[in-house]
Structure formats: C-alpha cells, structure tokens
C-alpha cells in the first residue's frame, strides 16, 4: 500500500493572539473611516431618554426601600415593646429571677460575686393538662468561678404570672432559689 503524505495544516490564528514580526499586517492601510455625527436634536432626545430612565429607576428603588421599611419597622417595634413591657416578657422574667439569684449567698459562694446573665436560650409558653397557661425558660449565668444553668417556670393565675420555681444547676450542685411546685400542683381529675 502506498504511503500517504501528511499535509501540514496551518493553524488558524486566534483574533486575540499576539502578532509575530513575520506576520503580514491585515486590513487596508489606505482605508478612511466613515464617521457620521448625529445631529443635535437626536442626541438631545437620546440623552433626555437616558436621564428619564435613570431617574425612574432611582424612584422605583426609593419606593421599594420605603415600602420595605413601612412593612418591617412597625412589626419590629411591636416585638420589642411586647418583649420589654409585657408581664411575660422573657427579658423581664430573666431580670427578676437574676435579681433573686444575685442575692443568694449559696450562688455567690459557688460562682463568685461578679455574676452575669446571658441570653435566654429557651422560652416556651404552653397550656398544661389542667388547662393552666405556663411559661418555661432556660438561660445561662456566668461567674468568676464557673457557669450555671437557670431553669424557671411561671404559672398564669388570674391574668398574672406567678413563679413556680427557679432552680440553678451548677457543675457541683443544684440550688433551688424558689420552689413553689407543691403549692400549685393539684391532683388530676
């Protein structure tokens, strides 16, 4: 069988490739560009259109931002006031129980004198089997000698929250600050 000669293929140049010194220049050296200027009225109309378009986009952006603010801001303010000023607000209950904890000498001896309360980690409101509304809360406290967990339960009677218990669990012991469970527990019928 006869041998075929392979033809060398010329590589096509990429339009982005760097020209070599041996490459011939492309294009016509004597070509004069045909530049047309747009008349004053057309360019004025075009720039007016662009300005109106930009102003419209800015206006829609401002309306959108104000719309979001008008929807979100009142609800946020409502949630803050509800938490701070309602009788069952988690911050209010945490502050009340933390004041009791700071006065207890057993806690001061275990955790140290400089105790701080951290954010509430759990806050649940529910209705128990006897139909009474209850609130359970868990948060952490920290002192110079260690950390502790605070468990609080409140019972709603006559539209007022009454503390059922406040128990502090440290690494070494469980300290009952308030324990009124025996007063509130009633046998189920």
């Amino acid at each position: 069988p006869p041998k075929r000669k392979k033809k060398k293929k010329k590589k096509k140049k990429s339009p982005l490739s760097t020209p070599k010194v041996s490459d011939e220049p492309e294009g016509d050296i004597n070509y004069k560009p045909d530049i047309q200027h747009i008349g004053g009225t057309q360019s004025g109309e075009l720039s007016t259109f662009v300005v109106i378009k930009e102003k419209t986009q800015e206006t829609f952006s401002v309306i959108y931002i104000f719309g979001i603010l008008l929807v979100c801001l009142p609800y946020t303010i409502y949630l803050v006031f509800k938490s701070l000023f309602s009788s069952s607000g988690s911050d209010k209950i945490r502050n009340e129980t933390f004041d009791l904890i700071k006065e207890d000498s057993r806690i001061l001896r275990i955790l140290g004198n400089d105790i701080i309360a951290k954010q509430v980690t759990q806050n649940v409101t529910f209705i128990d089997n006897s139909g009474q509304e209850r609130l359970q809360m868990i948060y952490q406290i920290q002192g110079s000698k260690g950390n502790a967990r605070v468990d609080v339960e409140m019972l709603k009677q006559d539209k007022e929250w009454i503390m059922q218990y406040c128990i502090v669990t440290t690494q070494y012991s469980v300290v009952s600050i308030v324990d009124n469970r025996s007063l509130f527990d009633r046998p189920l019928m």
Side-chain angles (χ1 to χ4, degrees):
K3 288 187 178 178
R4 290 186 181 177
K5 289 186 180 179
K6 292 185 180 179
K7 294 181 180 179
K8 288 187 179 180
K9 293 183 181 178
K10 284 189 174 180
K11 290 184 182 177
K12 290 187 178 180
K13 293 182 184 177
S14 167
L16 300 175
S17 64
T18 307
K20 297 180 182 175
V21 177
S22 62
D23 291 343
E24 293 183 17
E26 295 180 8
D28 184 8
I29 200 163
N30 298 324
Y31 179 76
K32 299 279 185 192
D34 184 22
I35 299 175
Q36 296 178 357
H37 294 283
I38 298 175
T41 58
Q42 288 181 353
S43 67
E45 290 172 2
L46 185 61
S47 65
T48 304
F49 174 73
V50 171
V51 169
I52 291 172
K53 180 181 171 188
E54 289 175 357
K55 293 289 184 185
T56 305
Q57 288 175 342
E58 290 173 8
T59 304
F60 282 134
S61 297
V62 169
I63 290 172
Y64 178 75
I65 290 169
F66 277 117
I68 295 294
L69 286 175
L70 287 175
V71 169
C72 294
L73 192 62
Y75 185 68
T76 305
I77 291 171
Y78 166 75
L79 289 178
V80 168
F81 277 100
K82 181 181 175 190
S83 174
L84 292 177
F85 298 115
S86 72
S87 62
S88 66
S90 61
D91 288 336
K92 182 178 180 183
I93 292 172
R94 184 193 67 181
N95 291 340
E96 288 176 5
T97 57
F98 185 62
D99 289 341
L100 293 173
I101 291 168
K102 286 192 302 187
E103 295 171 0
D104 193 294
S105 61
R106 298 171 293 176
I107 300 296
L108 296 177
R109 188 172 48 251
I110 295 170
L111 296 179
N113 290 332
D114 54 339
I115 301 172
I116 59 169
K118 295 188 176 182
Q119 201 67 20
V120 173
T121 56
Q122 182 178 354
N123 182 11
V124 179
T125 304
F126 64 96
I127 298 184
D128 66 6
N129 294 337
S130 61
Q132 293 181 312
E133 189 174 357
R134 294 179 183 263
L135 181 138
Q136 289 181 338
M137 178 187 305
I138 299 172
Y139 66 93
Q140 303 292 321
I141 58 175
Q142 181 178 10
S144 59
K145 296 180 182 178
N147 297 329
R149 169 183 158 156
V150 179
D151 292 273
V152 179
E153 184 168 322
M154 306 287 279
L155 176 67
K156 193 170 195 178
Q157 282 189 335
D158 301 324
K159 297 183 180 181
E160 188 175 322
W161 290 99
I162 300 170
M163 188 176 307
Q164 231 186 343
Y165 65 81
C166 175
I167 299 173
V168 178
T169 307
T170 67
Q171 183 178 359
Y172 306 107
S173 63
V174 176
V175 180
S176 178
I177 306 295
V178 174
D179 195 352
N180 295 326
R181 289 180 279 189
S182 62
L183 300 175
F184 294 107
D185 288 338
R186 296 185 186 129
L188 296 175
M189 293 181 198

PDB file of all heavy atoms in Angstrom, residues 149-171:
ATOM      1  N   ARG A 149     -26.696  26.869  84.886  1.00  0.00           N
ATOM      2  CA  ARG A 149     -27.916  26.921  84.081  1.00  0.00           C
ATOM      3  C   ARG A 149     -29.075  27.264  85.012  1.00  0.00           C
ATOM      4  O   ARG A 149     -29.178  26.721  86.118  1.00  0.00           O
ATOM      5  CB  ARG A 149     -28.142  25.557  83.431  1.00  0.00           C
ATOM      6  CG  ARG A 149     -29.478  25.394  82.782  1.00  0.00           C
ATOM      7  CD  ARG A 149     -29.628  23.997  82.246  1.00  0.00           C
ATOM      8  NE  ARG A 149     -31.041  23.664  82.104  1.00  0.00           N
ATOM      9  CZ  ARG A 149     -31.503  22.765  81.279  1.00  0.00           C
ATOM     10  NH1 ARG A 149     -30.675  22.089  80.516  1.00  0.00           N
ATOM     11  NH2 ARG A 149     -32.781  22.521  81.211  1.00  0.00           N
ATOM     12  N   VAL A 150     -29.952  28.154  84.547  1.00  0.00           N
ATOM     13  CA  VAL A 150     -31.099  28.570  85.344  1.00  0.00           C
ATOM     14  C   VAL A 150     -32.363  28.086  84.644  1.00  0.00           C
ATOM     15  O   VAL A 150     -32.579  28.373  83.470  1.00  0.00           O
ATOM     16  CB  VAL A 150     -31.148  30.111  85.505  1.00  0.00           C
ATOM     17  CG1 VAL A 150     -32.360  30.516  86.327  1.00  0.00           C
ATOM     18  CG2 VAL A 150     -29.871  30.628  86.126  1.00  0.00           C
ATOM     19  N   ASP A 151     -33.199  27.334  85.384  1.00  0.00           N
ATOM     20  CA  ASP A 151     -34.489  26.863  84.887  1.00  0.00           C
ATOM     21  C   ASP A 151     -35.578  27.590  85.665  1.00  0.00           C
ATOM     22  O   ASP A 151     -35.573  27.579  86.904  1.00  0.00           O
ATOM     23  CB  ASP A 151     -34.623  25.353  85.108  1.00  0.00           C
ATOM     24  CG  ASP A 151     -33.672  24.567  84.237  1.00  0.00           C
ATOM     25  OD1 ASP A 151     -34.055  24.270  83.105  1.00  0.00           O
ATOM     26  OD2 ASP A 151     -32.555  24.261  84.701  1.00  0.00           O
ATOM     27  N   VAL A 152     -36.515  28.200  84.935  1.00  0.00           N
ATOM     28  CA  VAL A 152     -37.595  28.967  85.550  1.00  0.00           C
ATOM     29  C   VAL A 152     -38.911  28.489  84.954  1.00  0.00           C
ATOM     30  O   VAL A 152     -39.005  28.255  83.752  1.00  0.00           O
ATOM     31  CB  VAL A 152     -37.430  30.487  85.269  1.00  0.00           C
ATOM     32  CG1 VAL A 152     -38.559  31.274  85.897  1.00  0.00           C
ATOM     33  CG2 VAL A 152     -36.087  30.979  85.745  1.00  0.00           C
ATOM     34  N   GLU A 153     -39.925  28.365  85.828  1.00  0.00           N
ATOM     35  CA  GLU A 153     -41.272  28.093  85.337  1.00  0.00           C
ATOM     36  C   GLU A 153     -42.233  29.039  86.035  1.00  0.00           C
ATOM     37  O   GLU A 153     -42.183  29.216  87.256  1.00  0.00           O
ATOM     38  CB  GLU A 153     -41.696  26.649  85.585  1.00  0.00           C
ATOM     39  CG  GLU A 153     -43.065  26.366  84.990  1.00  0.00           C
ATOM     40  CD  GLU A 153     -43.423  24.897  84.948  1.00  0.00           C
ATOM     41  OE1 GLU A 153     -42.531  24.075  84.673  1.00  0.00           O
ATOM     42  OE2 GLU A 153     -44.601  24.587  85.189  1.00  0.00           O
ATOM     43  N   MET A 154     -43.106  29.642  85.215  1.00  0.00           N
ATOM     44  CA  MET A 154     -44.116  30.571  85.723  1.00  0.00           C
ATOM     45  C   MET A 154     -45.487  29.980  85.421  1.00  0.00           C
ATOM     46  O   MET A 154     -45.678  29.297  84.422  1.00  0.00           O
ATOM     47  CB  MET A 154     -43.992  31.929  85.039  1.00  0.00           C
ATOM     48  CG  MET A 154     -42.616  32.559  85.113  1.00  0.00           C
ATOM     49  SD  MET A 154     -42.210  33.191  86.705  1.00  0.00           S
ATOM     50  CE  MET A 154     -43.030  34.750  86.671  1.00  0.00           C
ATOM     51  N   LEU A 155     -46.446  30.274  86.295  1.00  0.00           N
ATOM     52  CA  LEU A 155     -47.814  29.798  86.146  1.00  0.00           C
ATOM     53  C   LEU A 155     -48.728  31.013  86.093  1.00  0.00           C
ATOM     54  O   LEU A 155     -48.598  31.925  86.906  1.00  0.00           O
ATOM     55  CB  LEU A 155     -48.195  28.902  87.327  1.00  0.00           C
ATOM     56  CG  LEU A 155     -49.614  28.381  87.389  1.00  0.00           C
ATOM     57  CD1 LEU A 155     -49.860  27.403  86.240  1.00  0.00           C
ATOM     58  CD2 LEU A 155     -49.867  27.694  88.712  1.00  0.00           C
ATOM     59  N   LYS A 156     -49.642  31.030  85.126  1.00  0.00           N
ATOM     60  CA  LYS A 156     -50.544  32.180  84.980  1.00  0.00           C
ATOM     61  C   LYS A 156     -51.832  31.909  85.761  1.00  0.00           C
ATOM     62  O   LYS A 156     -52.555  30.961  85.478  1.00  0.00           O
ATOM     63  CB  LYS A 156     -50.864  32.426  83.506  1.00  0.00           C
ATOM     64  CG  LYS A 156     -51.516  33.748  83.251  1.00  0.00           C
ATOM     65  CD  LYS A 156     -51.577  34.025  81.760  1.00  0.00           C
ATOM     66  CE  LYS A 156     -51.886  35.468  81.491  1.00  0.00           C
ATOM     67  NZ  LYS A 156     -51.886  35.738  80.061  1.00  0.00           N
ATOM     68  N   GLN A 157     -52.081  32.748  86.771  1.00  0.00           N
ATOM     69  CA  GLN A 157     -53.304  32.667  87.564  1.00  0.00           C
ATOM     70  C   GLN A 157     -53.919  34.053  87.636  1.00  0.00           C
ATOM     71  O   GLN A 157     -53.250  35.013  88.038  1.00  0.00           O
ATOM     72  CB  GLN A 157     -53.010  32.169  88.983  1.00  0.00           C
ATOM     73  CG  GLN A 157     -52.796  30.692  89.065  1.00  0.00           C
ATOM     74  CD  GLN A 157     -52.723  30.221  90.508  1.00  0.00           C
ATOM     75  OE1 GLN A 157     -52.391  30.982  91.398  1.00  0.00           O
ATOM     76  NE2 GLN A 157     -53.012  28.953  90.716  1.00  0.00           N
ATOM     77  N   ASP A 158     -55.172  34.148  87.274  1.00  0.00           N
ATOM     78  CA  ASP A 158     -55.903  35.419  87.295  1.00  0.00           C
ATOM     79  C   ASP A 158     -55.165  36.498  86.509  1.00  0.00           C
ATOM     80  O   ASP A 158     -54.958  37.618  86.995  1.00  0.00           O
ATOM     81  CB  ASP A 158     -56.139  35.885  88.735  1.00  0.00           C
ATOM     82  CG  ASP A 158     -56.927  34.865  89.545  1.00  0.00           C
ATOM     83  OD1 ASP A 158     -57.816  34.213  88.960  1.00  0.00           O
ATOM     84  OD2 ASP A 158     -56.637  34.711  90.759  1.00  0.00           O
ATOM     85  N   LYS A 159     -54.722  36.159  85.306  1.00  0.00           N
ATOM     86  CA  LYS A 159     -54.026  37.070  84.386  1.00  0.00           C
ATOM     87  C   LYS A 159     -52.712  37.614  84.946  1.00  0.00           C
ATOM     88  O   LYS A 159     -52.226  38.649  84.533  1.00  0.00           O
ATOM     89  CB  LYS A 159     -54.934  38.242  83.983  1.00  0.00           C
ATOM     90  CG  LYS A 159     -56.169  37.804  83.224  1.00  0.00           C
ATOM     91  CD  LYS A 159     -56.982  38.996  82.788  1.00  0.00           C
ATOM     92  CE  LYS A 159     -58.206  38.522  82.027  1.00  0.00           C
ATOM     93  NZ  LYS A 159     -59.022  39.609  81.563  1.00  0.00           N
ATOM     94  N   GLU A 160     -52.138  36.917  85.918  1.00  0.00           N
ATOM     95  CA  GLU A 160     -50.871  37.337  86.498  1.00  0.00           C
ATOM     96  C   GLU A 160     -49.939  36.132  86.570  1.00  0.00           C
ATOM     97  O   GLU A 160     -50.358  35.028  86.920  1.00  0.00           O
ATOM     98  CB  GLU A 160     -51.105  37.896  87.910  1.00  0.00           C
ATOM     99  CG  GLU A 160     -49.880  38.523  88.502  1.00  0.00           C
ATOM    100  CD  GLU A 160     -50.185  39.174  89.844  1.00  0.00           C
ATOM    101  OE1 GLU A 160     -51.259  39.764  90.000  1.00  0.00           O
ATOM    102  OE2 GLU A 160     -49.328  39.065  90.735  1.00  0.00           O
ATOM    103  N   TRP A 161     -48.660  36.350  86.221  1.00  0.00           N
ATOM    104  CA  TRP A 161     -47.685  35.273  86.245  1.00  0.00           C
ATOM    105  C   TRP A 161     -47.104  35.142  87.650  1.00  0.00           C
ATOM    106  O   TRP A 161     -46.645  36.109  88.243  1.00  0.00           O
ATOM    107  CB  TRP A 161     -46.565  35.545  85.248  1.00  0.00           C
ATOM    108  CG  TRP A 161     -46.998  35.422  83.825  1.00  0.00           C
ATOM    109  CD1 TRP A 161     -47.335  36.429  82.988  1.00  0.00           C
ATOM    110  CD2 TRP A 161     -47.152  34.218  83.083  1.00  0.00           C
ATOM    111  NE1 TRP A 161     -47.683  35.931  81.761  1.00  0.00           N
ATOM    112  CE2 TRP A 161     -47.583  34.569  81.792  1.00  0.00           C
ATOM    113  CE3 TRP A 161     -46.971  32.868  83.365  1.00  0.00           C
ATOM    114  CZ2 TRP A 161     -47.828  33.625  80.796  1.00  0.00           C
ATOM    115  CZ3 TRP A 161     -47.218  31.938  82.378  1.00  0.00           C
ATOM    116  CH2 TRP A 161     -47.637  32.316  81.118  1.00  0.00           C
ATOM    117  N   ILE A 162     -47.129  33.901  88.169  1.00  0.00           N
ATOM    118  CA  ILE A 162     -46.594  33.612  89.492  1.00  0.00           C
ATOM    119  C   ILE A 162     -45.469  32.590  89.305  1.00  0.00           C
ATOM    120  O   ILE A 162     -45.631  31.592  88.591  1.00  0.00           O
ATOM    121  CB  ILE A 162     -47.694  33.045  90.416  1.00  0.00           C
ATOM    122  CG1 ILE A 162     -48.820  34.069  90.539  1.00  0.00           C
ATOM    123  CG2 ILE A 162     -47.126  32.699  91.776  1.00  0.00           C
ATOM    124  CD1 ILE A 162     -50.054  33.529  91.213  1.00  0.00           C
ATOM    125  N   MET A 163     -44.350  32.833  89.983  1.00  0.00           N
ATOM    126  CA  MET A 163     -43.201  31.946  89.815  1.00  0.00           C
ATOM    127  C   MET A 163     -43.456  30.625  90.521  1.00  0.00           C
ATOM    128  O   MET A 163     -43.791  30.595  91.698  1.00  0.00           O
ATOM    129  CB  MET A 163     -41.928  32.599  90.364  1.00  0.00           C
ATOM    130  CG  MET A 163     -40.698  31.804  90.030  1.00  0.00           C
ATOM    131  SD  MET A 163     -39.165  32.573  90.550  1.00  0.00           S
ATOM    132  CE  MET A 163     -39.292  34.178  89.824  1.00  0.00           C
ATOM    133  N   GLN A 164     -43.302  29.534  89.770  1.00  0.00           N
ATOM    134  CA  GLN A 164     -43.447  28.210  90.351  1.00  0.00           C
ATOM    135  C   GLN A 164     -42.106  27.716  90.881  1.00  0.00           C
ATOM    136  O   GLN A 164     -42.032  27.216  91.983  1.00  0.00           O
ATOM    137  CB  GLN A 164     -43.990  27.234  89.308  1.00  0.00           C
ATOM    138  CG  GLN A 164     -45.155  26.508  89.848  1.00  0.00           C
ATOM    139  CD  GLN A 164     -45.662  25.426  88.933  1.00  0.00           C
ATOM    140  OE1 GLN A 164     -45.372  25.371  87.750  1.00  0.00           O
ATOM    141  NE2 GLN A 164     -46.417  24.551  89.514  1.00  0.00           N
ATOM    142  N   TYR A 165     -41.064  27.865  90.057  1.00  0.00           N
ATOM    143  CA  TYR A 165     -39.734  27.511  90.541  1.00  0.00           C
ATOM    144  C   TYR A 165     -38.665  28.261  89.767  1.00  0.00           C
ATOM    145  O   TYR A 165     -38.869  28.715  88.647  1.00  0.00           O
ATOM    146  CB  TYR A 165     -39.472  26.003  90.486  1.00  0.00           C
ATOM    147  CG  TYR A 165     -39.450  25.403  89.093  1.00  0.00           C
ATOM    148  CD1 TYR A 165     -38.320  25.480  88.284  1.00  0.00           C
ATOM    149  CD2 TYR A 165     -40.556  24.717  88.603  1.00  0.00           C
ATOM    150  CE1 TYR A 165     -38.305  24.914  87.022  1.00  0.00           C
ATOM    151  CE2 TYR A 165     -40.542  24.150  87.350  1.00  0.00           C
ATOM    152  CZ  TYR A 165     -39.420  24.252  86.563  1.00  0.00           C
ATOM    153  OH  TYR A 165     -39.404  23.689  85.313  1.00  0.00           O
ATOM    154  N   CYS A 166     -37.531  28.397  90.431  1.00  0.00           N
ATOM    155  CA  CYS A 166     -36.306  28.943  89.829  1.00  0.00           C
ATOM    156  C   CYS A 166     -35.173  28.112  90.412  1.00  0.00           C
ATOM    157  O   CYS A 166     -34.885  28.194  91.605  1.00  0.00           O
ATOM    158  CB  CYS A 166     -36.143  30.421  90.172  1.00  0.00           C
ATOM    159  SG  CYS A 166     -34.586  31.106  89.567  1.00  0.00           S
ATOM    160  N   ILE A 167     -34.557  27.288  89.558  1.00  0.00           N
ATOM    161  CA  ILE A 167     -33.528  26.351  90.003  1.00  0.00           C
ATOM    162  C   ILE A 167     -32.247  26.627  89.231  1.00  0.00           C
ATOM    163  O   ILE A 167     -32.258  26.739  88.004  1.00  0.00           O
ATOM    164  CB  ILE A 167     -33.983  24.891  89.789  1.00  0.00           C
ATOM    165  CG1 ILE A 167     -35.249  24.624  90.610  1.00  0.00           C
ATOM    166  CG2 ILE A 167     -32.875  23.918  90.152  1.00  0.00           C
ATOM    167  CD1 ILE A 167     -35.873  23.286  90.357  1.00  0.00           C
ATOM    168  N   VAL A 168     -31.135  26.727  89.986  1.00  0.00           N
ATOM    169  CA  VAL A 168     -29.820  26.958  89.390  1.00  0.00           C
ATOM    170  C   VAL A 168     -29.031  25.660  89.467  1.00  0.00           C
ATOM    171  O   VAL A 168     -28.854  25.103  90.554  1.00  0.00           O
ATOM    172  CB  VAL A 168     -29.071  28.095  90.115  1.00  0.00           C
ATOM    173  CG1 VAL A 168     -27.692  28.294  89.507  1.00  0.00           C
ATOM    174  CG2 VAL A 168     -29.873  29.385  90.069  1.00  0.00           C
ATOM    175  N   THR A 169     -28.565  25.180  88.304  1.00  0.00           N
ATOM    176  CA  THR A 169     -27.785  23.940  88.243  1.00  0.00           C
ATOM    177  C   THR A 169     -26.343  24.307  87.918  1.00  0.00           C
ATOM    178  O   THR A 169     -26.055  24.827  86.839  1.00  0.00           O
ATOM    179  CB  THR A 169     -28.340  22.998  87.160  1.00  0.00           C
ATOM    180  OG1 THR A 169     -29.735  22.812  87.381  1.00  0.00           O
ATOM    181  CG2 THR A 169     -27.629  21.668  87.188  1.00  0.00           C
ATOM    182  N   THR A 170     -25.453  24.049  88.876  1.00  0.00           N
ATOM    183  CA  THR A 170     -24.029  24.325  88.666  1.00  0.00           C
ATOM    184  C   THR A 170     -23.318  23.008  88.378  1.00  0.00           C
ATOM    185  O   THR A 170     -23.941  21.944  88.356  1.00  0.00           O
ATOM    186  CB  THR A 170     -23.405  24.990  89.911  1.00  0.00           C
ATOM    187  OG1 THR A 170     -23.419  24.045  90.976  1.00  0.00           O
ATOM    188  CG2 THR A 170     -24.154  26.240  90.305  1.00  0.00           C
ATOM    189  N   GLN A 171     -22.027  23.090  88.209  1.00  0.00           N
ATOM    190  CA  GLN A 171     -21.239  21.899  87.922  1.00  0.00           C
ATOM    191  C   GLN A 171     -21.257  20.934  89.114  1.00  0.00           C
ATOM    192  O   GLN A 171     -21.212  19.726  88.948  1.00  0.00           O
ATOM    193  CB  GLN A 171     -19.810  22.308  87.586  1.00  0.00           C
ATOM    194  CG  GLN A 171     -18.913  21.161  87.195  1.00  0.00           C
ATOM    195  CD  GLN A 171     -17.523  21.636  86.824  1.00  0.00           C
ATOM    196  OE1 GLN A 171     -17.234  22.814  86.842  1.00  0.00           O
ATOM    197  NE2 GLN A 171     -16.663  20.683  86.483  1.00  0.00           N
TER     198      GLN A 171
END
